[in-house]
Amino acid sequence: MERRGKKFQAVAKLVEVAKVYTLAEALELATKTNPSKFDASVEVHVRLGVDPRQADQNIRATVTLPNGTGKTVRVAVFAPEAEHDAAKKAGADIVGDETFLKQLDKGEIAFDTLVSTPAYMPRLGKYARLLGPKGLMPNPKSGTVAADVAKAVTEAKAGKVEYRVDKQATIHLSIGKVSFGANKLEENARAFFGSLQSQKPSSLKGIYVKSTAIATTMGPGIKVENQVN
């Protein structure tokens, strides 16, 4: 704590370290413990009792946050020319085929989400090392491999986000900004927890959720009652 800045130390005093808060209490507290000058993201961190090495326990899914993420999502579409107009009308920021591939050849990435039609996916194979580590490779599970690219773009722009368990069996997800206020953040959080509950592996014998915490980007962690059984 001594190594932290004065602003962090000041807001950290508002959090009772040993206390486990209700979701509503934690989110209200999160909006008051942002030590940054910018409108920080509010993040949920959930430690699971799964083994990510097991295929059926490698949790990966999407959820549409009712109030969005608070971030401007830049969506690129890689699809046949016949799909371009519909994608643009849906709000896609980048739409293309051959020109788009030339940008990837140069390592240019100016998007946050990439949508592709199933038929075009094989052509993205050579860029797996570029897109994969950044989480940008289109995937059917995340809804970014879609025949209806316009629908996929609309969902991405509206707040559809992907979450996945990491090697430490933990999920990290931004559920909005401090400026949203506790109520909107809670609506987003409950949408996420509902989705996470639906992903519980049938093969899991032990505890599904071990612990839950909420924090702003640079703020202190706040322990939360587990929202998923």
Side-chain angles (χ1 to χ4, degrees), residues 4-229:
R4 299 280 192 168
K6 290 182 179 179
K7 289 183 178 180
F8 179 92
Q9 292 185 41
V11 296
K13 291 178 181 178
L14 300 174
V15 181
E16 295 181 40
V17 178
K19 181 176 180 179
V20 179
Y21 293 84
T22 65
L23 180 60
E25 289 172 339
L27 290 169
E28 184 66 43
L29 192 54
T31 63
K32 299 175 181 177
T33 54
N34 174 25
S36 309
K37 293 182 179 180
F38 59 86
D39 187 13
S41 294
V42 177
E43 302 164 354
V44 176
H45 307 276
V46 184
R47 190 163 65 93
L48 301 178
V50 301
D51 181 357
R53 295 171 298 179
Q54 303 296 323
D56 64 331
Q57 295 186 28
N58 189 7
I59 308 297
R60 180 177 185 177
T62 59
V63 60
T64 298
L65 301 178
N67 298 299
T69 63
K71 299 178 181 178
T72 300
V73 181
R74 300 169 301 169
V75 181
V77 172
F78 180 51
E81 189 173 350
E83 305 285 346
H84 291 187
D85 285 344
K88 289 177 182 177
K89 289 179 181 178
D93 300 275
I94 300 172
V95 180
D97 39 35
E98 298 306 325
T99 302
F100 178 72
L101 292 183
K102 289 179 181 178
Q103 292 176 334
L104 292 184
D105 284 332
K106 297 176 183 177
E108 295 179 7
I109 295 178
F111 52 87
D112 305 298
T113 299
L114 174 58
V115 174
S116 173
T117 57
Y120 265 40
M121 275 304 294
R123 300 174 67 185
L124 289 176
K126 63 179 288 189
Y127 304 102
R129 289 187 178 180
L130 172 67
L131 301 171
K134 300 179 185 298
L136 295 174
M137 195 68 176
N139 188 291
K141 288 186 177 180
S142 65
T144 48
V145 175
D148 188 342
V149 294
K151 180 182 178 182
V153 171
T154 300
E155 290 177 341
K157 288 285 188 178
K160 185 176 183 179
V161 293
E162 180 183 16
Y163 62 88
R164 61 191 304 179
V165 67
D166 63 17
K167 292 180 180 179
Q168 286 71 47
T170 303
I171 289 174
H172 310 276
L173 181 69
S174 171
I175 56 168
K177 298 285 189 176
V178 169
S179 60
F180 279 24
N183 290 338
K184 286 186 176 181
L185 288 169
E186 184 172 353
E187 289 176 358
N188 280 358
R190 292 199 179 283
F192 161 63
F193 287 124
S195 174
L196 184 60
Q197 178 73 65
S198 71
Q199 297 300 313
K200 183 177 181 180
S202 58
S203 63
L204 186 66
K205 304 292 185 188
I207 299 171
Y208 184 33
V209 173
K210 290 187 173 182
S211 65
T212 304
I214 284 174
T216 59
T217 305
M218 305 293 288
I222 303 166
K223 296 176 183 176
V224 186
E225 295 174 347
N226 287 338
Q227 305 297 306
V228 179
N229 298 320

